[in-house]
Amino acid sequence: MKEEIVFNSSTESFPPAGHYSHTATAGGFVFISGQLPVTINGEKKGDAPFEDQARLVLQNVDACLAGAGVSRQHLVSVRVYVTDISLWPDFNKVYAGWIGEFRPSRAVAGVAELHYGSAVEVEAIALAQ
């Protein structure tokens, strides 16, 4: 039996800037593309304070989850990219407030740079409904 792959871009998030979808659902999982600090109107916020960027990125992850018909409690893995690993504690504070007591697996990696001068990007995998 051939597995169907469903591609989705949330109407509650910025339109994809390239040849990709915000989410792809396959094999019982929702794969969320890397989310940047970009508003629903496409305004890039790479110059905003780091914690504001982190909150906006997580808001975009929420929009992707909702567009795929799932919630934060369906997350199984979260990957975080920051342009300065010293920002990890600041991200962790925002993330802990966003995720609450739920604790999916997570990795945080320092990278040289991200699109639009952003300081943080998040991609994730969730269980599909």
Side-chain angles (χ1 to χ4, degrees):
M1 172 167 79
K2 184 176 178 186
E3 174 71 30
E4 180 181 358
I5 301 173
V6 177
F7 299 103
N8 183 30
S9 289
S10 173
T11 58
E12 297 177 28
S13 187
F14 61 94
H19 191 73
Y20 68 96
S21 297
H22 283 298
T23 65
T25 303
F29 293 96
V30 177
F31 300 90
I32 300 172
S33 295
Q35 298 298 302
L36 294 165
V38 178
T39 69
I40 191 170
N41 300 322
E43 184 180 358
K44 296 152 185 79
K45 295 291 195 170
D47 58 350
F50 179 78
E51 288 187 7
D52 292 345
Q53 288 189 49
R55 280 190 278 281
L56 181 54
V57 165
L58 295 173
Q59 178 182 326
N60 290 339
V61 170
D62 274 337
C64 291
L65 290 165
V70 297
S71 69
R72 293 175 201 164
Q73 283 65 44
H74 291 92
L75 288 168
V76 293
S77 183
V78 177
R79 289 183 207 101
V80 182
Y81 307 97
V82 292
T83 55
D84 183 341
I85 201 67
S86 71
L87 295 169
W88 180 87
D90 297 327
F91 179 81
N92 198 53
K93 178 182 167 190
V94 173
Y95 180 83
W98 175 77
I99 200 73
E101 293 301 313
F102 191 69
R103 293 179 182 242
S105 72
R106 186 182 79 182
V108 178
V111 297
E113 66 181 305
L114 294 167
H115 281 45
Y116 315 126
S118 303
V120 61
E121 181 173 354
V122 173
E123 66 176 319
I125 301 170
L127 287 174
Q129 293 250 80

